[in-house]
């Protein structure tokens, strides 16, 4: 960090502010060559890619992508849920779930999922004009502080394909730093 940037931050934040303290810590790590602590590895992840629209025809999407879905239905179709109840599909969908080894990192799972589909960007452009495209990632933490990184090349590939990223993060309550503390009703 340059001295001028550090002075500007100190000048705006005051000498004792949390922002100034953070800047000093970052500067100290940088100057002393100390590596920051790495995040813990995510315990488990689930990844799926879906296309949704009222006019979606699953066979058309399959033909364009060169892959059969894990699950698909047209608007108005009746499908059985896991609970064995029947429901009417309100919006057509085509969904492909990752079904390979669980121990892979989340980025490798996403890359494996995309590798099953056409790389032709023109096809993705056509699909994006017709349907909402979503990559869903369920992230299951074993502790309150775990993390992951999406490499820039993967983010670029998702962007080229007009894929919206949705993350659901689940953490066991007992792993929270304040687990066991009484939380006032207004904060619960």
């Amino acid at each position: 960090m340059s001295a001028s940037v550090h002075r500007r931050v100190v000048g705006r934040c005051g000498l004792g502010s949390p922002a100034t303290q953070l800047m000093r810590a970052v500067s100290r790590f940088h100057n002393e060559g100390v590596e920051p602590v790495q995040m813990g590895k995510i315990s488990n992840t689930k990844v799926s890619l879906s296309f949704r629209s009222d006019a979606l025809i699953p066979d058309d999407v399959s033909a364009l992508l060169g892959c059969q879905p894990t699950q698909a239905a047209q608007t108005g179709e009746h499908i059985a849920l896991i609970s064995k109840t029947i429901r009417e599909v309100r919006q057509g969908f085509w969904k492909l779930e990752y079904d390979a080894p669980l121990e892979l990192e989340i980025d490798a799972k996403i890359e494996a999922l995309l590798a099953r589909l056409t790389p032709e960007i023109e096809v993705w452009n056509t699909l994006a004009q017709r349907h909402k495209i979503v990559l869903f990632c369920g992230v299951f933490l074993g502790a309150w502080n775990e993390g992951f990184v999406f490499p820039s090349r993967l983010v670029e590939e998702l962007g080229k394909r007009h894929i919206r990223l949705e993350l659901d993060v689940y953490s066991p309550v007992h792993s929270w730093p304040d687990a066991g503390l009484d939380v006032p009703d207004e904060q619960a």
Side-chain angles (χ1 to χ4, degrees), residues 20-186:
T20 301
Q21 292 170 10
L22 177 62
M23 295 301 281
R24 285 182 182 150
V26 170
S27 179
R28 187 175 64 247
F29 273 33
H30 177 72
N31 293 335
E32 295 174 10
V34 177
E35 291 294 321
V37 176
Q38 297 297 313
M39 296 176 281
K41 183 180 171 189
I42 296 294
S43 296
N44 189 17
T45 56
K46 298 209 180 266
V47 176
S48 65
L49 181 71
S50 65
F51 296 78
R52 296 189 172 276
S53 75
D54 293 335
L56 186 139
I57 300 171
D59 289 341
D60 292 351
V61 175
S62 295
L64 288 168
L65 292 173
C67 182
Q68 290 300 310
T70 307
Q71 189 178 28
Q74 287 183 241
T75 302
E77 193 173 323
H78 289 85
I79 60 171
L81 303 176
I82 294 172
S83 63
K84 309 236 190 273
T85 58
I86 304 294
R87 78 164 177 93
E88 183 177 337
V89 174
R90 293 186 180 149
Q91 186 177 56
F93 70 93
W94 186 101
K95 180 178 179 183
L96 181 62
E97 297 175 345
Y98 175 82
D99 58 0
L102 293 177
E103 61 274 0
L104 286 180
E105 295 287 335
I106 192 168
D107 58 314
K109 290 180 180 181
I110 295 168
E111 289 170 353
L113 200 64
L114 292 177
R116 295 179 58 189
L117 307 170
T118 183
E120 299 297 324
I121 298 303
E122 298 81 26
V123 170
W124 289 89
N125 290 338
T126 299
L127 288 166
Q129 290 172 357
R130 298 178 188 168
H131 315 294
K132 177 179 170 183
I133 309 172
V134 175
L135 176 67
F136 170 82
C137 299
V139 180
F140 301 87
L141 306 179
W144 72 275
N145 186 20
E146 297 176 343
F148 57 91
V149 173
F150 287 125
S152 57
R153 64 174 163 45
L154 177 58
V155 174
E156 181 181 6
E157 290 302 316
L158 296 176
K160 282 188 212 173
R161 290 165 174 77
H162 309 280
I163 298 173
R164 183 173 120 180
L165 180 62
E166 291 183 1
L167 300 172
D168 272 6
V169 181
Y170 305 92
S171 172
V173 173
H174 70 275
S175 73
W176 297 356
D178 60 353
L181 299 178
D182 290 333
V183 179
D185 289 338
E186 62 272 4

